[in-house]
């Protein structure tokens, strides 16, 4: 009886933590990807729209990525604009919003860490349980976590395709307790540099990576079974 309850709890742990780990890991990868930033700058012609040279956009992108990973509260985007040195490209409203974004990023990092720890602990408990075949059970639970991840991302992807505007708005309403995120691309460089299309592309990249990883995990038992038959 207790063994069955224990296995149900462990299975639920994997089903919850596998998608959390995969999604937060991929968010972190895309968030810190210079390639993704450069792709967005090129695709949406940010140099032409803002008047900031591409090399300086790259500098700004690097400073944003550094900010997400350092201990500073206030972001400083120091670049050259039209030949003049700009101590900080962002205004006060943008700086305050970036602080809110950083708190969200920190939460993503923590969820990634804790889900990895919980999955590691689950694996240890299973391996040291003499009443089960630990390795097979771990693969089975990871597979189910992968299947749930795949289904979850498919569902969210459909919603994003149908109405990304509404999903994007809902995300901001839920994630932020103020209206600092409401910016004007005519006056605020942050939204001018990163239009909504950029975030859609990032969402697509995160979804693609997560679907790929979830699909691979879900197929592991099947692959092992086929290899075993040979």
């Amino acid at each position: 009886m207790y063994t069955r309850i224990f296995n149900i709890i462990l299975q639920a742990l994997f089903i919850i933590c596998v998608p959390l780990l995969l999604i937060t890991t991929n968010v972190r990868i895309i968030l810190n990807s210079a390639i993704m930033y450069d792709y967005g700058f090129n695709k949406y012609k940010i140099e032409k729209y803002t008047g900031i040279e591409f090399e300086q956009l790259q500098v700004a992108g690097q400073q944003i990525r550094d900010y997400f990973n350092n201990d500073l509260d206030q972001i400083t985007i120091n670049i050259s604009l039209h030949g003049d040195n700009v101590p900080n490209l962002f205004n006060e409203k943008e700086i305050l919003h970036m602080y809110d974004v950083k708190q969200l990023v920190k939460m993503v990092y923590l969820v990634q860490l804790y889900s990895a720890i919980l999955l590691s602990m689950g694996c240890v408990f299973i391996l040291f349980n003499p009443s089960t075949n630990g390795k097979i059970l771990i693969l089975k639970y990871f597979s189910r976590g992968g299947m749930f991840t795949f289904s979850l991302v498919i569902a969210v992807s459909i919603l994003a395709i149908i109405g990304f505007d509404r999903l994007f708005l809902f995300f901001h309403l839920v994630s932020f307790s103020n209206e600092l995120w409401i910016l004007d691309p005519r006056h605020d460089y942050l939204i001018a540099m990163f239009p909504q299309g950029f975030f859609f592309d990032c969402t697509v990249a995160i979804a693609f990576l997560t679907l790929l990883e979830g699909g691979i995990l879900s197929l592991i038992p099947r692959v092992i079974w086929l290899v075993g038959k040979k």
Side-chain angles (χ1 to χ4, degrees):
M1 178 67 178
Y2 289 110
T3 301
R4 184 180 178 185
I5 293 174
F6 184 69
N7 286 336
I8 291 173
I9 293 172
L10 279 175
Q11 183 173 201
L13 174 73
F14 276 77
I15 290 174
I16 293 170
C17 288
V18 167
L20 287 177
L21 179 60
L22 294 180
I23 293 170
T24 54
T25 297
N26 292 327
V27 168
R28 188 167 189 164
I29 289 171
I30 297 301
L31 192 68
N32 290 284
S33 170
I35 294 174
M36 198 70 204
Y37 284 62
D38 291 351
Y39 170 80
F41 294 150
N42 277 313
K43 180 178 179 180
Y44 297 103
K45 299 179 173 58
I46 305 303
E47 180 177 5
K48 180 180 180 181
Y49 186 77
T50 62
I52 304 173
E53 295 180 354
F54 185 77
E55 291 76 12
Q56 293 302 306
L57 288 171
Q58 289 180 307
V59 171
Q62 183 60 60
Q63 291 174 355
I64 290 172
R65 293 190 295 275
D66 290 342
Y67 175 68
F68 288 145
N69 296 285
N70 62 32
D71 297 324
L72 299 178
D73 289 336
Q74 179 173 311
I75 189 171
T76 301
I77 304 299
N78 179 218
I79 64 168
S80 176
L81 182 60
H82 307 308
D84 297 322
N85 181 63
V86 179
N88 198 346
L89 184 68
F90 292 164
N91 57 42
E92 183 178 358
K93 185 177 182 181
E94 292 169 295
I95 291 170
L96 291 173
H97 177 56
M98 285 300 290
Y99 176 78
D100 291 340
V101 173
K102 184 169 184 172
Q103 305 316 302
L104 201 60
V105 171
K106 284 183 176 179
M107 186 178 71
V108 170
Y109 287 1
L110 284 175
V111 171
Q112 181 196 32
L113 175 63
Y114 291 146
S115 57
I117 291 173
L118 288 172
L119 284 172
S120 299
M121 291 174 60
C123 291
V124 171
F125 286 139
I126 293 172
L127 288 173
F128 282 90
N129 184 352
S131 63
T132 61
N133 187 332
K135 293 180 181 179
I136 297 298
L137 199 58
I138 288 173
L139 291 175
K140 179 180 177 182
Y141 287 170
F142 266 112
S143 174
R144 291 181 179 176
M147 285 188 284
F148 179 71
T149 302
F150 193 90
S151 302
L152 179 65
V153 175
I154 286 291
V156 175
S157 297
I158 292 172
L159 290 176
I161 293 171
I162 292 173
F164 185 75
D165 290 350
R166 285 178 298 220
L167 193 63
F168 194 62
L169 175 61
F170 178 75
F171 168 79
H172 281 81
L173 292 174
V174 170
S175 301
F176 303 110
S177 59
N178 53 55
E179 296 185 347
L180 293 171
W181 57 273
I182 303 176
L183 301 171
D184 187 340
R186 296 171 298 177
H187 310 293
D188 303 313
Y189 279 106
L190 178 58
I191 191 64
M193 291 168 60
F194 301 100
Q196 184 172 306
F198 173 83
F199 293 99
F200 178 79
D201 294 340
C202 288
T203 302
V204 170
I206 292 166
F208 173 77
L209 290 174
T210 309
L211 284 172
L212 181 64
E213 295 156 355
I216 291 172
L217 283 178
S218 66
L219 291 173
I220 286 177
R222 177 72 176 172
V223 172
I224 293 175
W225 180 76
L226 288 173
V227 171
K229 285 192 69 176
K230 292 180 181 180

